[in-house]
Amino acid sequence: MEWFELASTYQPPNPDLLSAYDRFRMWADDYRFWVIFVYLVLVYYLGFATRFRMPILKTLLLYVLLAVGAIVFTFLDTTLPVKGALLAAVIILVIIRLRIKPNAQK
């Protein structure tokens, strides 16, 4: 996606000698949309999904709307820490799930 390359925010300090961290940051910039989309899906399933299954068309509509939201967040990610905020949301929701699970079984 060439238009995301224009909005790349990470510039490595030494482009000739890239560390693993530099390569990861450049990869995360190149695949920004997909990283944000995966985070949005995780946040939905950890925080908002119910126990029953939705029909296929509703599930497809959900993924389309999540993709539209990921496009919006992708543009915002050039100036705001969207990936970091979504990662923090995922971590908080995982902690909540792990703490609620043992109490629900008693």
Side-chain angles (χ1 to χ4, degrees):
M1 295 186 181
E2 296 172 10
W3 46 290
F4 287 136
E5 291 175 12
L6 296 174
S8 179
T9 57
Y10 182 71
Q11 299 296 326
N14 188 0
D16 298 328
L17 183 63
L18 295 177
S19 67
Y21 176 74
D22 292 333
R23 280 180 276 164
F24 173 74
R25 288 287 306 265
M26 291 174 70
W27 175 86
D29 265 355
D30 290 342
Y31 295 103
R32 179 181 297 140
F33 170 78
W34 296 109
V35 171
I36 291 173
F37 180 72
V38 168
Y39 282 159
L40 286 175
V41 169
L42 286 173
V43 167
Y44 171 74
Y45 280 110
L46 288 172
F48 301 104
T50 56
R51 292 280 181 201
F52 63 90
R53 283 186 55 135
M54 289 190 301
I56 292 291
L57 289 177
K58 284 185 180 179
T59 304
L60 184 66
L61 178 66
L62 171 74
Y63 285 128
V64 167
L65 292 175
L66 285 175
V68 169
I71 290 172
V72 172
F73 281 143
T74 300
F75 290 122
L76 291 175
D77 189 49
T78 59
T79 57
L80 299 171
V82 173
K83 287 186 296 228
L86 285 172
L87 179 63
V90 168
I91 291 171
I92 289 170
L93 289 170
V94 165
I95 290 171
I96 290 171
R97 283 281 177 141
L98 291 176
R99 289 189 58 124
I100 289 176
K101 223 29 152 188
N103 294 337
Q105 293 176 354
K106 288 182 180 179

